[in-house]
Amino acid sequence: MTEEAATSEELRNRLVDQIVADRPLAPRVEHALRTVRREDNLPGIDLPTAYTDQAVSIKENPSGPLPLSCASVPSMVAMMLDQLDVKAGDNILEIGAGTGYNAALLDELTGPEGHVTTVDIDEDVALHARTTLNRSGHDRVRVFERDGLIGVPEHGPYTRLIGTVGLWDFPNAWWDQLADDARVVLPLRWRGQTRSIALTRHGNTLTADSVELCGFVPVIGQDGEKTAALNTEDTVRIHYDQDQDIDPAAFDESTFSIPCTTTLSEQRIGGEESFDGVWLRATASDNRVCRVEVTPKALESGVRRPSIPMRSPALVSGGSIAYLITEREEADPQRPFRLGAAAYGPDRDSLAQDLVAHINTWGAYRAAIPEINISALADPAPDTGFTITKSESRLTLNYP
């Protein structure tokens, strides 16, 4: 049977089969994915595309490279719903209505005794979600055109809250809308990375028990992330947070014209092996962690290629930078790539050594994830762990 001839149910089940083969899901989440028709929320999209494990844009952004709204990758949707652990009868708040597909899944999961409220700041997106939810029979879902950072207090307290946009901070307004022991799943951003974090409220603290790599369109209204060029040609850029002591003006035009220092770690990886944990672990102890972007023009001029040219983990101090690189070595065919650091600037040698130390620490405990807590900025700072102070909250990380 061709893709064009396959029915919605056949394509949907095939997609879910692929998802659960890679990541087993709770039975209720799997059932919801097999039940809710994604194409109802993607009018004009053909069935094979609707049931491909990829994001689908529904509103482009004329002022930036990322869309204003899209249907998230189905496997990521499944992962986050699994993290959220919805129970029948839950009262759920979703930040970012998108196509309405995720709200339809939440409606299926919480059942007739529960409630789903979804909010989006964009008028067109909110209208799209309302229209498709009505079309698919999920008209019980409440849709609000509103700034999600304010929430929807009139329908709280919520036992579950999920964000479907990248959030840099946890807004103060949400605390009063969460029930005791509420479960929260957020694509949280810090130091240029995004992690889907599942947390449970314990008094005035949210404590995480699940951390997964993810990627989402950033929420409108939070501007804690900064981007700056490190040379006049704007071919090397850094992406960092407003709380960091980073001064891009400390770099001069000669920084990237001088050969770099290259220092290799003891750690090797295979071609499909993830090393994102290097970044995560470094953010739990080092305020210099950010991301570097090296454009094709910079690479052509001789700047050393980072492990990921678009945005690789880096350390920045004064007018010096060290960033993650990979070098192919044939000595170990199972893990042919060796991780290391390339560094520029007056302190390049010591900065490269510091980054290699992070790599080696990660390598000794590759599967480890940190304990993560979120607390309000008005509350006392935690006694233990490494704290990152944002505009409205504190993020505390601690590796056991």
Side-chain angles (χ1 to χ4, degrees):
M1 180 179 294
T2 65
E3 289 289 310
E4 291 75 13
T7 67
S8 168
E9 184 176 8
E10 289 167 336
L11 291 170
R12 188 161 59 254
N13 283 324
R14 189 185 306 172
L15 173 60
V16 178
D17 288 344
Q18 294 170 359
I19 292 172
V20 299
D22 292 333
R23 179 192 178 91
L25 300 172
R28 296 182 70 247
V29 173
E30 182 178 339
H31 179 266
L33 290 167
R34 294 187 188 278
T35 302
V36 175
R37 294 157 50 99
R38 191 174 188 238
E39 73 270 23
D40 287 345
N41 303 94
L42 297 170
I45 303 297
D46 61 87
L47 278 176
T49 300
Y51 290 109
T52 301
D53 197 27
Q54 64 184 26
V56 179
S57 297
I58 64 167
K59 184 169 185 180
E60 299 300 334
N61 184 356
S63 62
L66 297 175
L68 282 173
S69 185
C70 68
S72 299
V73 178
S75 57
M76 190 174 299
V77 169
M79 175 194 77
M80 294 179 69
L81 291 177
D82 213 38
Q83 288 180 301
L84 191 62
D85 189 27
V86 175
K87 306 297 185 187
D90 270 331
N91 187 25
I92 305 173
L93 175 61
E94 178 190 38
I95 309 300
T99 65
Y101 173 62
N102 201 64
L105 290 165
L106 292 169
D107 188 41
E108 182 74 23
L109 286 165
T110 196
E113 301 303 315
H115 300 282
V116 177
T117 301
T118 186
V119 56
D120 205 286
I121 197 171
D122 188 276
E123 178 183 7
D124 293 339
V125 174
L127 178 60
H128 177 101
R130 177 73 280 161
T131 302
T132 60
L133 285 163
N134 289 348
R135 180 186 299 124
S136 64
H138 297 93
D139 51 313
R140 297 186 322 115
V141 175
R142 307 180 182 111
V143 180
F144 284 81
E145 178 198 333
R146 185 182 296 181
D147 184 352
L149 301 178
I150 298 172
V152 187
E154 57 265 42
H155 292 295
Y158 299 99
T159 57
R160 296 289 187 273
L161 184 151
I162 185 169
T164 58
V165 286
L167 291 146
W168 184 79
D169 203 353
F170 190 89
N172 283 328
W174 290 358
W175 288 102
D176 290 338
Q177 299 175 48
L178 290 177
D180 292 338
D181 299 323
R183 189 150 178 89
V184 176
V185 173
L186 300 176
L188 192 64
R189 298 178 60 80
W190 74 96
R191 305 306 189 239
Q193 65 182 338
T194 308
R195 303 275 171 168
S196 179
I197 304 180
L199 312 105
T200 301
R201 181 175 188 175
H202 301 291
N204 292 330
T205 302
L206 293 166
T207 301
D209 57 42
S210 175
V211 181
E212 301 280 358
L213 189 67
C214 70
F216 276 88
V217 175
V219 71
I220 294 173
Q222 290 184 344
D223 59 355
E225 295 176 282
K226 309 298 180 184
T227 299
L230 298 185
N231 56 4
T232 55
E233 293 186 330
D234 191 19
T235 60
V236 181
R237 308 180 188 111
I238 53 169
H239 304 266
Y240 61 103
D241 290 346
Q242 67 178 18
D243 65 287
Q244 293 181 275
D245 184 19
I246 291 177
D247 180 14
F251 288 79
D252 59 46
E253 286 307 300
S254 66
T255 300
F256 297 100
S257 62
I258 299 172
C260 68
T261 289
T262 299
T263 307
L264 297 180
S265 75
E266 300 170 0
Q267 307 307 316
R268 292 179 170 83
I269 58 169
E272 301 299 322
E273 191 172 359
S274 172
F275 51 90
D276 290 294
V278 173
W279 200 349
L280 179 59
R281 179 170 277 277
T283 67
S285 63
D286 196 329
N287 260 331
R288 300 170 297 174
V289 180
C290 59
R291 289 200 297 181
V292 66
E293 178 184 355
V294 179
T295 66
K297 186 175 180 180
L299 295 175
E300 291 171 4
S301 71
V303 176
R304 177 64 191 262
R305 185 188 189 278
S307 55
I308 309 168
M310 285 302 295
R311 294 193 185 184
S312 275
L315 300 181
V316 170
S317 178
S320 301
I321 183 170
Y323 53 77
L324 193 65
I325 60 170
T326 54
E327 281 200 359
R328 188 178 185 92
E329 296 181 343
E330 301 300 332
D332 185 351
Q334 298 300 314
R335 284 179 163 173
F337 298 100
R338 193 170 176 186
L339 300 179
Y344 292 89
D347 296 325
R348 56 188 179 274
D349 293 338
S350 61
L351 210 56
Q353 291 290 346
D354 289 347
L355 180 52
V356 165
H358 285 307
I359 297 169
N360 286 329
T361 302
W362 162 81
Y365 310 97
R366 294 193 180 198
I369 60 171
E371 298 170 352
I372 298 179
N373 293 317
I374 296 175
S375 57
L377 201 58
D379 292 336
D383 294 330
T384 61
F386 184 82
T387 297
I388 295 173
T389 302
K390 294 175 176 281
S391 298
E392 299 182 64
S393 69
R394 288 187 181 93
L395 178 69
T396 303
L397 304 98
N398 183 43
Y399 273 88

